[in-house]
Amino acid sequence: MFSAAFGILGILSLVYFGIIVVYSGIETSMAWFWPALGILCFLLARGDAYYHHHRKQVPLWVPVSIATLCITAVVIFLILQVLIFGGMIRSTPDHLDYLIVLGTKVRDDDISSSLKRRLDKVIRYAEEHPDTKLVLSGGQGEDEPVTEAFAMAEYLRYNGIAPEQMLLETNSTSTKENMICSKALIDDQRQKEKERLQEIQKKKQVQKMELERFVRKFEAGAGAVGVRQDLTAAGGQDAAAEDQRISLDFRGPAAARKSLLPALRQKPEMPAAELTPDKPLQIGVLTSNFHLYRAMKIGEKYGFDRLYGVSSSSDPVLFIHLCVRESIAILKDKFMGNM
């Protein structure tokens, strides 16, 4: 029974390897896994058949150990698949401040199919959310003509996404580095934004103090020349224009001066963004559906308090291969402490 099952699994592995080679080439990442699995299955089938014919010659611990290893491997694989498929089901808020787009293979003449699927998803998202900043994350591999971030930016610009909506992170070469470098870029961008808001608020505070001094002089009936100079200093050209608009003689009756005070004391409204520079950020990560679980776990490990997932579709022919490859990557990152 087990011999037949192992034999069928070995044949299917070799057939799928042939499909991968024909469809995407022998250089497909980790394509070797399938012939290796096929050979292992044939060996297990042969070993099972031998055991059934030579039970007395084979110590019991040998089949028990092999069976235990096989069952453990299957259970671990199934658990990993549950995690991968569970990671594909994510809820995304209506608005994200930043969306991290993870890069992948760039060829000499074109982007890969996987990267194109991600970018097509980015285009649809960006058109619906023009205020979201896109963090394009990906450096340049040894066999890549340009950085993945640059290739993504060119594709998005060609498809109508504004350059000012994009931030390029060009140093990372792995998912771990993607998340670390993207966080550093977002933090740096956020710090610059805070400094800009602080500078605006500082200027507004100075203008407010000058305006209050002007109002006190105005209430006391100061001369027109002195008051006009203070008004210009307090508000710049806008205040000077407003001063020209007011035709009242500042030396006029106190009642007339008093009628202007409510308007002068009125404080200009500040934009909501300037009032809340430290608001919690809504940050998402966009990648292929099979890769989303690992990307988000690595992001949470390296400093993101809360991430929202946005997934793109995967190649249906390679989907099984990609999920198996991702299972191995999850184990590797788990053992290396990246998750």
Side-chain angles (χ1 to χ4, degrees), residues 24-322:
S24 62
I26 189 67
E27 70 279 2
T28 302
S29 176
M30 283 188 63
W32 55 264
F33 172 84
W34 298 101
L37 178 63
I39 293 172
L40 176 62
C41 288
F42 289 138
L43 291 175
L44 289 173
R46 179 60 181 162
D48 183 67
Y50 180 85
Y51 174 71
H52 279 82
H53 289 87
H54 306 83
R55 287 179 179 271
K56 294 182 179 180
Q57 299 177 17
V58 179
L60 183 60
W61 65 267
V62 174
V64 171
S65 299
I66 293 175
T68 301
L69 288 174
C70 290
I71 293 173
T72 302
V74 170
V75 170
I76 292 175
F77 175 76
L78 292 176
I79 292 174
L80 291 173
Q81 294 310 301
V82 170
L83 295 176
I84 290 172
F85 279 86
M88 299 180 190
I89 306 171
R90 298 283 179 174
S91 60
T92 305
D94 294 334
H95 170 73
L96 291 173
D97 296 290
Y98 295 91
L99 179 62
I100 301 170
V101 185
L102 302 188
T104 187
K105 187 72 173 180
V106 174
R107 303 192 185 101
D108 290 334
D109 55 347
D110 197 6
I111 60 176
S112 64
S113 172
S114 180
L115 184 55
K116 184 178 184 302
R117 290 171 182 270
R118 296 182 191 183
L119 295 178
D120 289 342
K121 179 75 173 185
V122 173
I123 292 169
R124 293 192 295 271
Y125 187 91
E127 289 174 346
E128 296 173 0
H129 305 85
D131 294 332
T132 299
K133 288 288 187 182
L134 306 174
V135 181
L136 310 180
S137 179
Q140 183 176 2
E142 295 180 357
D143 56 346
E144 292 179 309
V146 295
T147 64
E148 294 169 2
F150 179 79
M152 289 191 284
E154 287 296 299
Y155 186 89
L156 294 178
R157 275 197 290 264
Y158 179 80
N159 286 276
I161 304 301
E164 55 269 20
Q165 193 176 355
M166 296 181 275
L167 300 173
L168 273 62
E169 183 284 298
T170 59
N171 297 315
S172 57
T173 57
S174 65
T175 303
K176 171 185 172 181
E177 293 178 2
N178 282 145
M179 303 311 296
I180 293 175
C181 295
S182 294
K183 187 176 188 307
L185 180 60
I186 291 173
D187 290 344
D188 180 66
Q189 198 72 15
R190 189 61 175 165
Q191 183 60 35
K192 290 179 180 178
E193 182 68 12
K194 287 181 181 180
E195 292 173 357
R196 185 185 70 82
L197 295 179
Q198 289 171 356
E199 186 65 24
I200 292 175
Q201 291 173 341
K202 182 179 179 180
K203 290 180 179 179
K204 286 184 178 293
Q205 186 66 24
V206 172
Q207 290 179 359
K208 177 182 175 183
M209 294 173 61
E210 293 292 336
L211 186 59
E212 289 176 350
R213 189 161 63 90
F214 157 74
V215 170
R216 287 196 296 270
K217 285 188 176 183
F218 186 67
E219 289 176 322
V225 175
V227 171
R228 290 177 191 276
Q229 290 175 345
D230 285 346
L231 180 61
T232 302
Q237 294 180 353
D238 293 339
E242 180 66 14
D243 179 41
Q244 293 176 0
R245 190 181 65 81
I246 299 175
S247 59
L248 176 67
D249 183 358
F250 286 8
R251 290 193 182 93
R257 293 198 303 270
K258 186 176 181 181
S259 66
L260 286 175
L261 290 179
L264 293 172
R265 288 198 177 106
Q266 186 175 0
K267 297 179 180 178
E269 294 184 0
M270 296 174 61
E274 295 178 15
L275 291 173
T276 58
D278 292 318
K279 70 181 181 68
L281 295 177
Q282 302 267 61
I283 301 176
V285 56
L286 188 151
T287 186
S288 301
N289 50 16
F290 66 88
H291 185 226
L292 195 57
Y293 169 79
R294 182 162 62 101
M296 294 186 66
K297 285 299 181 182
I298 291 175
E300 292 170 3
K301 171 76 174 182
Y302 288 98
F304 288 99
D305 295 330
R306 181 74 169 90
L307 277 174
Y308 298 92
V310 181
S311 64
S312 67
S313 61
S314 299
D315 191 305
V317 176
L318 297 176
F319 184 69
I320 296 175
H321 173 68
L322 295 172

